[in-house]
Amino acid sequence: MSTKQTIAIIGATGNMGSGIAKSLSKSNNRLLLFAQHEDKVQALVDDIKKNNPSAEAEAIACPINASWEADIIILAVPYPAEKEIAAKIKDVANQKIVISISNPLNETYSGLITASDTSAGEELQKLLPNSKVIKAFNTVFASDFATPVIAGQQADAFIAGSDAGALQTVAELVQTAGFNPIIAGDLAVSRTLENMTVLLIQLTMKYNYNWVAGWKVLHN
């Protein structure tokens, strides 16, 4: 990416959070990493710097401080935790890009717990009315970050949001992470993207894709 961004990753030590952090650390961005267990965050920072000594990554003890310093905030937390985090960061996330990666799955992975006329992305936007909420990284698996090229094809990663500038910025981030970004539409398209992940999980379990699987739009 050309412009250096400060990116806060809340929930940085989870499978998705650490995958995103490691991928984005290859760029010239500054990463502020937060999770419940500080020792795990520090271990992640050490791991990132071992692989890339020039990477700018630091452990931050408080999600509010991390978000206050950041240009972009990535909520790498499960859907039920988004509400609590949103309440904490609401004031410091004003006019900032907030990325929703969650899929509001039910316990059996047979569907979503959100109503059909909304999505995790849209619910987060309601909680953060003055932020630019973008849906991204929810259609890829955590292990895809290490393997974004699957069976010779670069996995597509879909993005939805209602702010054109924010979409472009996030598309560049998705590219930095190794995926082919596809801007799918406004934030309401999150409903489709979240359902796509339900299907991908079901297919992965049924056909044993080993959790390295993704979507690819073939076109001429």
Side-chain angles (χ1 to χ4, degrees):
M1 278 178 71
S2 46
T3 326
K4 183 174 179 173
Q5 310 267 11
T6 298
I7 302 165
I9 303 177
I10 311 294
T13 55
N15 288 343
M16 286 295 289
S18 60
I20 292 170
K22 286 174 186 173
S23 292
L24 297 185
S25 69
K26 296 167 192 160
S27 64
N28 68 342
N29 294 305
R30 175 173 173 239
L31 302 181
L32 307 178
L33 308 179
F34 169 80
Q36 298 290 346
H37 303 286
E38 270 187 79
D39 53 337
K40 286 185 181 174
V41 186
Q42 195 52 55
L44 175 61
V45 170
D46 295 342
D47 188 35
I48 285 170
K49 291 194 170 169
K50 189 179 79 182
N51 292 309
N52 178 7
S54 66
E56 277 194 76
E58 56 193 282
I60 301 279
C62 163
I64 300 164
N65 290 349
S67 302
W68 181 76
E69 279 195 62
D71 305 302
I72 299 168
I73 302 159
I74 301 176
L75 296 192
V77 296
Y79 176 64
E82 282 190 349
K83 203 169 192 170
E84 188 190 333
I85 295 286
K88 286 180 182 170
I89 68 166
K90 187 177 177 181
D91 294 338
V92 292
N94 248 350
Q95 299 308 310
K96 292 183 180 179
I97 295 172
V98 180
I99 297 177
S100 158
I101 75 161
S102 71
N103 291 301
L105 297 156
N106 63 23
E107 284 178 16
T108 57
Y109 304 132
S110 61
L112 301 171
I113 58 173
T114 40
S116 60
D117 62 348
T118 189
S119 61
E122 290 165 282
E123 291 305 303
L124 185 61
Q125 183 68 82
K126 285 179 199 165
L127 297 170
L128 299 171
N130 301 317
S131 301
K132 301 165 188 174
V133 173
I134 302 288
K135 191 83 203 176
F137 294 121
N138 78 295
T139 57
V140 295
F141 289 150
S143 41
D144 294 342
F145 286 91
T147 318
V149 176
I150 303 167
Q153 295 271 10
Q154 185 186 27
D156 290 336
F158 298 88
I159 308 165
S162 305
D163 182 284
L167 282 169
Q168 205 44 57
T169 300
V170 175
E172 288 172 21
L173 273 192
V174 165
Q175 210 161 10
T176 299
F179 300 101
N180 176 51
I182 295 182
I183 295 174
D186 67 17
L187 197 57
V189 177
S190 300
R191 301 169 198 179
T192 302
L193 301 187
E194 290 166 16
N195 273 297
M196 281 168 69
T197 305
V198 176
L199 179 59
L200 191 61
I201 288 170
Q202 291 168 349
L203 293 173
T204 297
M205 288 159 68
K206 185 175 180 181
Y207 295 111
N208 196 18
Y209 295 154
N210 257 347
W211 300 101
V212 178
W215 295 106
K216 187 74 193 167
V217 177
L218 301 177
H219 59 88
N220 57 13

